[in-house]
Coordinates of all heavy atoms in Angstrom, one line a residue:
A1 N -22.1 15.0 13.6 CA -23.3 14.3 13.5 C -23.3 13.2 12.4 O -23.8 12.1 12.7 CB -24.4 15.3 13.2
R2 N -22.7 13.5 11.3 CA -22.7 12.5 10.2 C -21.8 11.3 10.6 O -22.1 10.2 10.3 CB -22.1 13.2 8.9 CG -22.1 12.2 7.8 CD -21.6 12.8 6.5 NE -21.5 11.8 5.5 CZ -20.9 11.9 4.4 NH1 -20.5 13.1 4.0 NH2 -20.8 11.0 3.5
L3 N -20.7 11.6 11.3 CA -19.8 10.6 11.8 C -20.5 9.6 12.7 O -20.3 8.4 12.6 CB -18.6 11.2 12.5 CG -17.5 10.3 12.9 CD1 -16.9 9.6 11.6 CD2 -16.4 11.0 13.6
A4 N -21.4 10.1 13.5 CA -22.1 9.2 14.5 C -23.1 8.4 13.7 O -23.4 7.3 14.1 CB -22.8 10.1 15.5
R5 N -23.6 8.8 12.6 CA -24.7 8.1 11.8 C -24.1 7.1 10.9 O -24.7 6.1 10.6 CB -25.5 9.1 11.0 CG -26.4 9.9 11.9 CD -27.4 10.7 11.0 NE -26.9 11.3 9.8 CZ -26.6 12.6 9.8 NH1 -26.8 13.4 10.8 NH2 -26.1 13.2 8.7
S6 N -22.9 7.2 10.5 CA -22.3 6.3 9.5 C -21.2 5.4 10.1 O -20.1 5.9 10.5 CB -21.7 7.2 8.3 OG -21.0 6.3 7.5
E7 N -21.6 4.2 10.2 CA -20.6 3.2 10.8 C -19.4 3.1 9.9 O -18.2 3.0 10.4 CB -21.3 1.9 11.0 CG -22.3 1.8 12.1 CD -22.8 0.4 12.3 OE1 -22.2 -0.6 11.9 OE2 -23.9 0.3 12.9
R8 N -19.5 3.1 8.6 CA -18.4 2.9 7.7 C -17.4 4.1 7.8 O -16.2 3.9 7.8 CB -18.9 2.7 6.3 CG -17.8 2.6 5.2 CD -17.0 1.4 5.5 NE -15.9 1.4 4.6 CZ -15.0 0.4 4.5 NH1 -15.2 -0.7 5.1 NH2 -14.0 0.5 3.7
L9 N -18.0 5.3 7.9 CA -17.2 6.5 8.0 C -16.4 6.4 9.3 O -15.2 6.8 9.4 CB -18.0 7.7 7.9 CG -17.3 9.1 8.0 CD1 -16.3 9.2 6.8 CD2 -18.3 10.2 7.9
L10 N -17.1 6.1 10.4 CA -16.4 6.0 11.7 C -15.3 4.9 11.7 O -14.2 5.2 12.2 CB -17.4 5.6 12.8 CG -16.9 5.5 14.2 CD1 -16.3 6.8 14.7 CD2 -18.0 5.1 15.2
F11 N -15.5 3.8 11.0 CA -14.5 2.8 10.9 C -13.3 3.3 10.1 O -12.2 3.1 10.5 CB -15.1 1.5 10.2 CG -14.0 0.5 9.9 CD1 -13.6 -0.3 10.9 CD2 -13.4 0.4 8.6 CE1 -12.6 -1.3 10.7 CE2 -12.4 -0.5 8.4 CZ -12.0 -1.4 9.4
D12 N -13.6 4.0 9.0 CA -12.5 4.6 8.2 C -11.7 5.6 8.9 O -10.5 5.6 8.8 CB -13.1 5.2 6.9 CG -13.6 4.1 5.9 OD1 -13.3 2.9 6.1 OD2 -14.3 4.5 4.9
V13 N -12.3 6.5 9.7 CA -11.6 7.5 10.5 C -10.8 6.8 11.5 O -9.6 7.2 11.7 CB -12.6 8.5 11.1 CG1 -12.0 9.3 12.1 CG2 -13.3 9.3 10.0
C14 N -11.3 5.8 12.2 CA -10.5 5.1 13.2 C -9.3 4.3 12.6 O -8.2 4.4 13.2 CB -11.4 4.1 14.0 SG -12.6 5.0 15.1
A15 N -9.5 3.7 11.4 CA -8.5 3.0 10.8 C -7.4 4.0 10.4 O -6.2 3.7 10.5 CB -9.0 2.3 9.6
L16 N -7.7 5.1 9.9 CA -6.8 6.2 9.5 C -6.0 6.6 10.7 O -4.8 6.8 10.7 CB -7.5 7.3 8.8 CG -6.6 8.5 8.3 CD1 -5.6 8.0 7.3 CD2 -7.4 9.6 7.8
A17 N -6.7 6.8 11.8 CA -6.0 7.3 13.1 C -5.0 6.2 13.6 O -3.9 6.6 13.9 CB -7.0 7.6 14.1
V18 N -5.4 5.0 13.6 CA -4.5 3.9 14.0 C -3.3 3.8 13.1 O -2.2 3.7 13.6 CB -5.3 2.6 14.1 CG1 -4.4 1.4 14.3 CG2 -6.3 2.6 15.2
S19 N -3.5 3.8 11.8 CA -2.4 3.7 10.9 C -1.5 4.9 11.0 O -0.2 4.8 10.9 CB -2.9 3.6 9.4 OG -3.5 4.7 9.0
S20 N -2.0 6.1 11.3 CA -1.2 7.3 11.5 C -0.3 7.1 12.8 O 0.9 7.4 12.8 CB -2.0 8.5 11.6 OG -1.3 9.6 11.9
V21 N -0.9 6.6 13.8 CA -0.1 6.4 15.1 C 0.9 5.3 14.9 O 2.1 5.5 15.3 CB -1.1 6.0 16.2 CG1 -0.3 5.5 17.4 CG2 -2.0 7.2 16.6
L22 N 0.6 4.3 14.2 CA 1.6 3.2 14.0 C 2.7 3.7 13.1 O 3.9 3.4 13.3 CB 0.9 2.0 13.3 CG 0.0 1.2 14.2 CD1 -0.7 0.1 13.4 CD2 0.7 0.6 15.4
G23 N 2.4 4.6 12.1 CA 3.4 5.2 11.3 C 4.4 6.0 12.1 O 5.6 6.0 11.9
Q24 N 3.8 6.8 13.0 CA 4.7 7.7 13.8 C 5.6 6.9 14.7 O 6.7 7.2 14.9 CB 3.8 8.6 14.6 CG 3.2 9.7 13.8 CD 4.2 10.7 13.2 OE1 5.2 11.1 13.8 NE2 4.0 10.9 11.9
I25 N 5.0 5.8 15.3 CA 5.8 4.9 16.1 C 7.0 4.3 15.3 O 8.1 4.3 15.8 CB 5.0 3.8 16.7 CG1 4.0 4.4 17.8 CG2 5.8 2.7 17.4 CD1 3.0 3.4 18.3
C26 N 6.7 3.9 14.1 CA 7.8 3.3 13.2 C 8.8 4.4 12.9 O 10.0 4.1 13.0 CB 7.2 2.8 11.9 SG 6.2 1.3 12.1
I27 N 8.4 5.6 12.6 CA 9.3 6.7 12.3 C 10.2 7.0 13.5 O 11.5 7.0 13.4 CB 8.6 8.0 11.9 CG1 8.0 7.8 10.5 CG2 9.5 9.2 12.0 CD1 7.0 8.9 10.1
L28 N 9.6 7.1 14.7 CA 10.4 7.5 15.9 C 11.3 6.3 16.3 O 12.4 6.5 16.7 CB 9.5 7.8 17.1 CG 8.7 9.1 16.9 CD1 7.6 9.3 18.0 CD2 9.6 10.3 16.8
S29 N 10.8 5.1 16.1 CA 11.7 3.9 16.5 C 12.9 3.8 15.5 O 14.0 3.5 16.0 CB 10.8 2.6 16.3 OG 11.6 1.5 16.6
T30 N 12.6 4.1 14.2 CA 13.7 4.0 13.3 C 14.8 5.1 13.6 O 16.0 4.8 13.6 CB 13.2 4.2 11.9 OG1 12.2 3.2 11.6 CG2 14.3 4.2 10.8
I31 N 14.3 6.3 13.9 CA 15.3 7.4 14.2 C 16.0 7.0 15.5 O 17.2 7.2 15.6 CB 14.5 8.7 14.3 CG1 14.1 9.1 12.9 CG2 15.5 9.8 14.9 CD1 13.2 10.3 12.9
K32 N 15.3 6.5 16.5 CA 16.0 6.2 17.8 C 17.0 5.1 17.6 O 18.1 5.2 18.2 CB 14.9 5.7 18.8 CG 15.5 5.4 20.1 CD 14.4 5.0 21.1 CE 15.0 4.6 22.4 NZ 14.0 4.1 23.4
H33 N 16.7 4.1 16.9 CA 17.6 2.9 16.8 C 18.7 3.0 15.7 O 19.8 2.5 15.8 CB 16.8 1.6 16.7 CG 16.0 1.3 17.8 ND1 16.5 1.0 19.1 CD2 14.6 1.3 18.0 CE1 15.5 0.8 19.9 NE2 14.4 1.0 19.3
L34 N 18.3 3.7 14.6 CA 19.2 3.7 13.5 C 19.8 5.1 13.2 O 20.8 5.3 12.4 CB 18.5 3.2 12.2 CG 18.0 1.8 12.3 CD1 17.3 1.4 11.0 CD2 19.2 0.8 12.6
G35 N 19.1 6.1 13.7 CA 19.6 7.5 13.4 C 18.8 8.2 12.3 O 18.1 7.6 11.5
A36 N 18.9 9.5 12.3 CA 18.2 10.3 11.4 C 18.7 10.1 9.9 O 17.8 10.2 9.0 CB 18.3 11.8 11.8
V37 N 19.9 9.9 9.7 CA 20.5 9.7 8.4 C 19.9 8.4 7.8 O 19.5 8.4 6.6 CB 22.0 9.7 8.4 CG1 22.5 9.3 7.0 CG2 22.5 11.0 8.8
A38 N 19.9 7.4 8.6 CA 19.3 6.1 8.1 C 17.8 6.3 7.8 O 17.3 5.8 6.7 CB 19.5 5.0 9.1
F39 N 17.1 7.0 8.6 CA 15.7 7.3 8.3 C 15.5 8.0 7.0 O 14.6 7.7 6.2 CB 15.0 8.0 9.5 CG 13.6 8.4 9.2 CD1 12.6 7.4 9.2 CD2 13.3 9.7 9.0 CE1 11.3 7.8 8.9 CE2 12.0 10.1 8.7 CZ 11.0 9.1 8.7
A40 N 16.3 9.1 6.8 CA 16.2 9.9 5.6 C 16.5 9.0 4.4 O 15.8 9.1 3.4 CB 17.2 11.0 5.7
T41 N 17.5 8.1 4.5 CA 17.8 7.2 3.4 C 16.6 6.3 3.1 O 16.3 6.1 2.0 CB 19.0 6.4 3.8 OG1 20.1 7.2 4.0 CG2 19.4 5.4 2.7
V42 N 16.0 5.7 4.2 CA 14.9 4.8 4.0 C 13.7 5.5 3.3 O 13.1 5.0 2.3 CB 14.4 4.2 5.3 CG1 13.0 3.5 5.2 CG2 15.4 3.3 5.9
V43 N 13.4 6.8 3.7 CA 12.3 7.5 3.1 C 12.6 7.8 1.7 O 11.8 7.7 0.8 CB 12.1 8.8 3.9 CG1 11.1 9.7 3.2 CG2 11.6 8.5 5.3
T44 N 13.9 8.2 1.4 CA 14.2 8.6 0.0 C 14.1 7.3 -0.9 O 13.6 7.4 -2.0 CB 15.7 9.2 0.0 OG1 15.7 10.3 0.8 CG2 16.0 9.6 -1.5
V45 N 14.7 6.2 -0.5 CA 14.6 5.0 -1.3 C 13.1 4.6 -1.5 O 12.8 4.1 -2.6 CB 15.4 3.9 -0.6 CG1 15.2 2.5 -1.3 CG2 16.9 4.2 -0.7
R46 N 12.3 4.7 -0.5 CA 10.9 4.4 -0.6 C 10.2 5.3 -1.6 O 9.5 4.8 -2.5 CB 10.2 4.5 0.8 CG 8.7 4.1 0.7 CD 8.0 4.4 2.0 NE 7.9 5.8 2.2 CZ 6.9 6.6 1.6 NH1 6.0 6.0 0.8 NH2 6.8 7.9 1.9
Q47 N 10.5 6.5 -1.6 CA 10.0 7.5 -2.6 C 10.4 7.1 -4.0 O 9.6 7.2 -5.0 CB 10.3 8.9 -2.3 CG 9.6 9.5 -1.1 CD 8.2 9.8 -1.4 OE1 7.4 8.9 -1.8 NE2 7.8 11.0 -1.3
M48 N 11.7 6.8 -4.2 CA 12.2 6.4 -5.5 C 11.6 5.2 -6.0 O 11.2 5.0 -7.1 CB 13.8 6.3 -5.4 CG 14.5 7.6 -5.3 SD 16.2 7.5 -5.2 CE 16.7 6.8 -6.7
A49 N 11.4 4.2 -5.1 CA 10.8 2.9 -5.5 C 9.3 3.2 -5.9 O 8.9 2.6 -6.9 CB 10.8 1.9 -4.3
S50 N 8.7 4.1 -5.2 CA 7.3 4.4 -5.6 C 7.3 5.0 -7.0 O 6.4 4.7 -7.8 CB 6.8 5.4 -4.6 OG 5.5 5.9 -4.9
V51 N 8.2 5.9 -7.3 CA 8.2 6.5 -8.7 C 8.5 5.4 -9.7 O 7.8 5.4 -10.7 CB 9.3 7.6 -8.7 CG1 9.6 8.1 -10.1 CG2 8.9 8.8 -7.9
F52 N 9.5 4.6 -9.5 CA 9.8 3.5 -10.4 C 8.6 2.5 -10.6 O 8.3 2.1 -11.7 CB 11.1 2.8 -10.0 CG 12.3 3.6 -10.0 CD1 13.3 3.4 -9.1 CD2 12.4 4.6 -11.0 CE1 14.4 4.2 -9.1 CE2 13.6 5.5 -11.0 CZ 14.6 5.2 -10.1
L53 N 8.0 2.2 -9.5 CA 6.8 1.3 -9.6 C 5.7 2.0 -10.4 O 5.0 1.3 -11.2 CB 6.4 0.9 -8.2 CG 5.4 -0.2 -8.0 CD1 6.1 -1.5 -8.6 CD2 5.1 -0.4 -6.6
S54 N 5.5 3.2 -10.1 CA 4.5 4.0 -10.9 C 4.7 4.0 -12.4 O 3.8 3.8 -13.2 CB 4.4 5.4 -10.4 OG 3.5 6.2 -11.1
N55 N 6.0 4.1 -12.7 CA 6.4 4.0 -14.1 C 6.1 2.7 -14.7 O 5.5 2.6 -15.8 CB 7.9 4.3 -14.3 CG 8.2 5.8 -14.3 OD1 7.5 6.6 -14.7 ND2 9.4 6.1 -13.7
A56 N 6.4 1.6 -14.0 CA 6.2 0.3 -14.5 C 4.7 -0.1 -14.6 O 4.3 -0.7 -15.5 CB 7.0 -0.7 -13.6
L57 N 4.0 0.2 -13.5 CA 2.6 -0.3 -13.4 C 1.6 0.5 -14.2 O 0.7 0.0 -14.8 CB 2.2 -0.4 -12.0 CG 2.8 -1.4 -11.1 CD1 2.3 -1.4 -9.7 CD2 2.6 -2.8 -11.7
F58 N 1.8 1.9 -14.2 CA 0.8 2.7 -14.8 C 1.3 3.4 -16.1 O 0.6 4.3 -16.7 CB 0.4 3.8 -13.8 CG -0.1 3.2 -12.5 CD1 0.6 3.3 -11.4 CD2 -1.3 2.5 -12.5 CE1 0.1 2.8 -10.2 CE2 -1.8 2.0 -11.4 CZ -1.1 2.1 -10.2
G59 N 2.5 3.1 -16.6 CA 2.9 3.6 -17.9 C 3.3 5.1 -17.8 O 3.4 5.7 -18.8
H60 N 3.6 5.6 -16.6 CA 4.1 6.9 -16.5 C 5.5 7.0 -17.0 O 6.2 6.0 -17.0 CB 4.1 7.4 -15.1 CG 2.7 7.5 -14.5 ND1 2.4 7.4 -13.2 CD2 1.5 7.6 -15.1 CE1 1.1 7.4 -12.9 NE2 0.5 7.6 -14.1
S61 N 5.9 8.1 -17.5 CA 7.3 8.2 -18.0 C 8.0 9.3 -17.4 O 7.5 10.3 -16.9 CB 7.2 8.4 -19.6 OG 6.6 9.6 -19.9
L62 N 9.3 9.2 -17.4 CA 10.2 10.2 -16.8 C 11.1 10.7 -18.0 O 11.5 10.0 -18.9 CB 11.2 9.6 -15.8 CG 10.5 9.2 -14.5 CD1 11.6 8.6 -13.6 CD2 9.9 10.3 -13.8
S63 N 11.4 12.0 -18.0 CA 12.3 12.6 -19.0 C 13.7 12.2 -18.7 O 14.0 11.6 -17.6 CB 12.1 14.1 -19.0 OG 12.7 14.6 -17.8
V64 N 14.6 12.4 -19.6 CA 16.0 12.1 -19.4 C 16.5 12.8 -18.2 O 17.3 12.3 -17.4 CB 16.8 12.4 -20.7 CG1 18.3 12.3 -20.4 CG2 16.3 11.6 -21.8
L65 N 16.1 14.1 -18.1 CA 16.6 14.9 -16.9 C 16.1 14.3 -15.6 O 16.8 14.3 -14.6 CB 16.2 16.4 -17.1 CG 16.7 17.3 -16.0 CD1 18.2 17.4 -16.1 CD2 16.1 18.7 -16.3
Q66 N 14.9 13.8 -15.6 CA 14.3 13.2 -14.3 C 15.1 11.9 -14.0 O 15.4 11.6 -12.8 CB 12.8 13.0 -14.5 CG 12.0 14.3 -14.5 CD 10.6 14.1 -14.9 OE1 10.3 13.3 -15.8 NE2 9.7 14.8 -14.2
W67 N 15.4 11.1 -15.0 CA 16.2 9.9 -14.8 C 17.6 10.3 -14.3 O 18.1 9.6 -13.4 CB 16.3 9.1 -16.1 CG 15.1 8.2 -16.3 CD1 14.2 8.4 -17.3 CD2 14.6 7.1 -15.6 NE1 13.2 7.4 -17.2 CE2 13.5 6.6 -16.2 CE3 15.1 6.4 -14.5 CZ2 12.8 5.5 -15.7 CZ3 14.4 5.3 -14.0 CH2 13.3 4.9 -14.6
L68 N 18.2 11.3 -14.8 CA 19.5 11.7 -14.3 C 19.4 12.2 -12.9 O 20.3 11.9 -12.1 CB 20.0 12.9 -15.2 CG 20.9 12.5 -16.4 CD1 20.9 13.6 -17.4 CD2 22.2 12.1 -15.9
A69 N 18.4 12.9 -12.5 CA 18.2 13.4 -11.1 C 18.0 12.2 -10.2 O 18.6 12.2 -9.1 CB 17.0 14.3 -11.0
A70 N 17.2 11.2 -10.6 CA 17.0 10.0 -9.8 C 18.4 9.3 -9.6 O 18.7 8.8 -8.5 CB 16.0 9.1 -10.4
A71 N 19.1 9.2 -10.7 CA 20.4 8.5 -10.6 C 21.4 9.3 -9.7 O 22.1 8.7 -8.9 CB 21.1 8.4 -12.0
C72 N 21.3 10.6 -9.7 CA 22.2 11.4 -8.8 C 21.8 11.2 -7.3 O 22.7 11.0 -6.5 CB 22.0 12.9 -9.1 SG 22.9 13.4 -10.6
V73 N 20.5 11.1 -7.0 CA 20.0 10.9 -5.7 C 20.5 9.5 -5.2 O 21.0 9.4 -4.1 CB 18.5 11.1 -5.6 CG1 18.0 10.6 -4.2 CG2 18.1 12.5 -5.8
F74 N 20.2 8.5 -6.0 CA 20.6 7.2 -5.7 C 22.1 7.0 -5.5 O 22.6 6.4 -4.5 CB 20.1 6.2 -6.7 CG 20.1 4.8 -6.2 CD1 19.2 4.4 -5.2 CD2 20.9 3.8 -6.8 CE1 19.2 3.1 -4.7 CE2 20.8 2.5 -6.3 CZ 20.0 2.1 -5.3
S75 N 22.9 7.7 -6.4 CA 24.3 7.6 -6.2 C 24.8 8.3 -4.9 O 25.7 7.8 -4.3 CB 25.0 8.3 -7.4 OG 24.7 7.7 -8.6
A76 N 24.2 9.4 -4.6 CA 24.5 10.1 -3.3 C 24.2 9.2 -2.1 O 25.0 9.1 -1.2 CB 23.8 11.4 -3.2
L77 N 23.1 8.5 -2.2 CA 22.8 7.6 -1.1 C 23.8 6.4 -1.0 O 24.2 6.1 0.1 CB 21.3 7.0 -1.3 CG 20.2 8.0 -1.0 CD1 18.9 7.3 -1.4 CD2 20.2 8.4 0.4
L78 N 24.1 5.9 -2.1 CA 25.1 4.8 -2.1 C 26.4 5.3 -1.6 O 27.1 4.6 -0.8 CB 25.2 4.2 -3.5 CG 24.1 3.3 -3.9 CD1 24.3 2.9 -5.4 CD2 23.9 2.1 -3.0
L79 N 26.9 6.4 -2.0 CA 28.1 7.0 -1.6 C 28.1 7.3 -0.1 O 29.1 7.0 0.6 CB 28.4 8.3 -2.4 CG 29.8 8.9 -2.1 CD1 30.9 8.0 -2.5 CD2 29.9 10.2 -2.9
N80 N 27.0 7.8 0.4 CA 26.9 8.1 1.8 C 27.0 6.9 2.6 O 27.6 6.9 3.7 CB 25.5 8.9 2.1 CG 25.4 9.4 3.5 OD1 26.4 9.7 4.1 ND2 24.2 9.5 4.0
S81 N 26.3 5.8 2.2 CA 26.4 4.6 3.0 C 27.7 3.9 2.9 O 28.2 3.2 3.8 CB 25.3 3.6 2.5 OG 25.5 3.2 1.2
Y82 N 28.4 4.1 1.7 CA 29.8 3.5 1.6 C 30.8 4.2 2.5 O 31.6 3.6 3.1 CB 30.2 3.6 0.1 CG 31.5 3.1 -0.2 CD1 31.8 1.7 -0.2 CD2 32.6 3.9 -0.4 CE1 33.0 1.2 -0.4 CE2 33.9 3.4 -0.6 CZ 34.1 2.1 -0.6 OH 35.4 1.6 -0.9
I83 N 30.7 5.5 2.6 CA 31.6 6.3 3.4 C 31.4 6.0 4.9 O 32.4 5.9 5.6 CB 31.4 7.8 3.1 CG1 31.9 8.2 1.8 CG2 32.1 8.7 4.2 CD1 31.6 9.6 1.3
K84 N 30.2 5.8 5.3 CA 30.0 5.4 6.7 C 30.3 4.0 6.9 O 30.7 3.4 7.7 CB 28.5 5.7 7.1 CG 28.3 7.2 7.0 CD 27.0 7.5 7.8 CE 26.8 9.0 7.7 NZ 26.7 9.7 8.9

């Protein structure tokens, strides 16, 4: 009932649904054309970029152990792409 009364809420729900569908299409297309390993690499790099950007923009900090873990993940991705 509230959804029918509020145009803004209806717009937001529809926008969320459309973006979700487009995201799923991108995911499936990436896996189909590049493979699951490439998709996993893209997702991991995106998450790491998000963490680094959060550090830079919002002043969040990582401990030495967290930086070491990030370096290990990035090194493993680079090694994986170098081997293939």
Side-chain angles (χ1 to χ4, degrees):
R2 181 176 175 192
L3 187 60
R5 290 191 312 259
S6 173
E7 288 182 23
R8 178 63 190 185
L9 183 59
L10 182 60
F11 175 81
D12 289 347
V13 168
C14 289
L16 182 62
V18 169
S19 66
S20 178
V21 168
L22 291 175
Q24 287 298 315
I25 290 171
C26 289
I27 289 169
L28 294 174
S29 178
T30 302
I31 292 172
K32 179 179 179 183
H33 296 292
L34 301 176
V37 173
F39 174 72
T41 302
V42 167
V43 170
T44 304
V45 169
R46 185 188 67 82
Q47 287 286 61
M48 288 177 62
S50 176
V51 169
F52 294 146
L53 195 61
S54 176
N55 280 327
L57 293 178
F58 302 112
H60 298 154
S61 61
L62 293 176
S63 69
V64 173
L65 186 60
Q66 289 169 321
W67 279 110
L68 268 160
C72 286
V73 169
F74 197 66
S75 298
L77 287 173
L78 287 175
L79 184 62
N80 188 27
S81 65
Y82 179 74
I83 290 173
K84 295 198 179 237

